[in-house]
Amino acid sequence: MPAGLWVRLKQYLKKDIFCMWCVAHRSDLVLSDLESTITEVRHWKTNLKAVATFYRGSALRYGWLEKIGDSKKISIYRFPAYFEVRFAKHLLNLSKALWKNLPCMQIHWQSIIESSDSTKIEKATAKGFLRTWKNDGEQEHLTCLMMDILRHIEKLTQRKKTKKWFNDN
């Protein structure tokens, strides 16, 4: 049985109502449909969130990433906090951070594998990330594709916000 806001409001008022989603929510519905239809996109998003959580969850790991970036003269982008609301702008920012940080993250993961101080779990996690986020691999390609899609959604969202209500021109 549907239990969304519109359904509850309609039941409360006991009559039909005109329902309209805001542009951000409509773009979110597009992304939800994309994820539910295309398994690879759903897996990509799960992998993206896993990497962000790995670095956001540890100041020490993020510090190592910054040290690698400094040594390579590469700016490290901070991973934005993940919210359960999946707006396109947030997902785009998360994707950009991964894309910019990926070369340094790969070096960091390799150093975890090679370190005698790393635990078995840390080494297994790093090996999994290296396998998943290898150069010219599927996740890298999906990140490029999704960043393009997300940029278009973001542009459409911004354009629609500047238009007057009910004006489709």
Side-chain angles (χ1 to χ4, degrees):
M1 176 176 187
L5 175 64
W6 296 126
V7 172
R8 289 180 182 179
L9 190 57
K10 184 177 174 181
Q11 289 170 346
Y12 177 76
L13 295 173
K14 295 182 173 78
K15 62 181 178 179
D16 286 336
I17 58 173
F18 177 72
C19 306
M20 182 173 26
W21 292 98
C22 72
V23 177
H25 279 93
R26 288 192 311 208
S27 67
D28 190 43
L29 291 171
V30 169
L31 291 172
S32 293
D33 286 349
L34 190 64
E35 287 175 42
S36 65
T37 307
I38 304 170
T39 306
E40 292 83 358
V41 172
R42 185 171 52 248
H43 291 181
W44 166 80
K45 185 176 174 186
T46 300
N47 293 332
L48 177 69
K49 288 174 16 183
V51 169
T53 301
F54 182 77
Y55 285 104
R56 284 189 53 78
S58 170
L60 182 63
R61 285 188 208 123
Y62 191 80
W64 277 109
L65 192 59
E66 286 180 317
K67 284 181 185 176
I68 294 167
D70 288 345
S71 72
K72 301 288 182 186
K73 307 241 186 298
I74 297 173
S75 296
I76 298 298
Y77 287 66
R78 192 165 285 283
F79 287 101
Y82 182 77
F83 302 99
E84 286 306 313
V85 179
R86 301 169 308 234
F87 293 119
K89 185 174 185 73
H90 176 265
L91 197 52
L92 178 59
N93 290 338
L94 196 59
S95 301
K96 285 179 183 177
L98 178 123
W99 187 257
K100 297 287 188 176
N101 296 342
L102 189 57
C104 293
M105 290 187 307
Q106 290 167 330
I107 293 167
H108 181 229
W109 297 329
Q110 189 62 46
S111 71
I112 291 171
I113 293 166
E114 294 168 358
S115 173
S116 59
D117 295 334
S118 299
T119 66
K120 285 183 182 181
I121 292 172
E122 290 170 331
K123 288 182 181 196
T125 301
K127 284 179 186 176
F129 281 144
L130 275 175
R131 266 193 315 272
T132 302
W133 295 99
K134 62 185 171 209
N135 287 328
D136 206 29
E138 181 181 35
Q139 295 305 299
E140 201 173 84
H141 293 170
L142 280 169
T143 301
C144 287
L145 173 65
M146 289 305 296
M147 285 186 356
D148 284 343
I149 291 169
L150 291 164
R151 278 190 192 107
H152 286 293
I153 290 172
E154 184 62 21
K155 282 181 188 175
L156 290 172
T157 302
Q158 292 303 320
R159 191 176 316 150
K160 207 61 170 166
K161 283 180 183 177
T162 61
K163 300 275 183 182
K164 292 183 180 178
W165 286 99
F166 305 110
N167 182 359
D168 290 332
N169 295 326

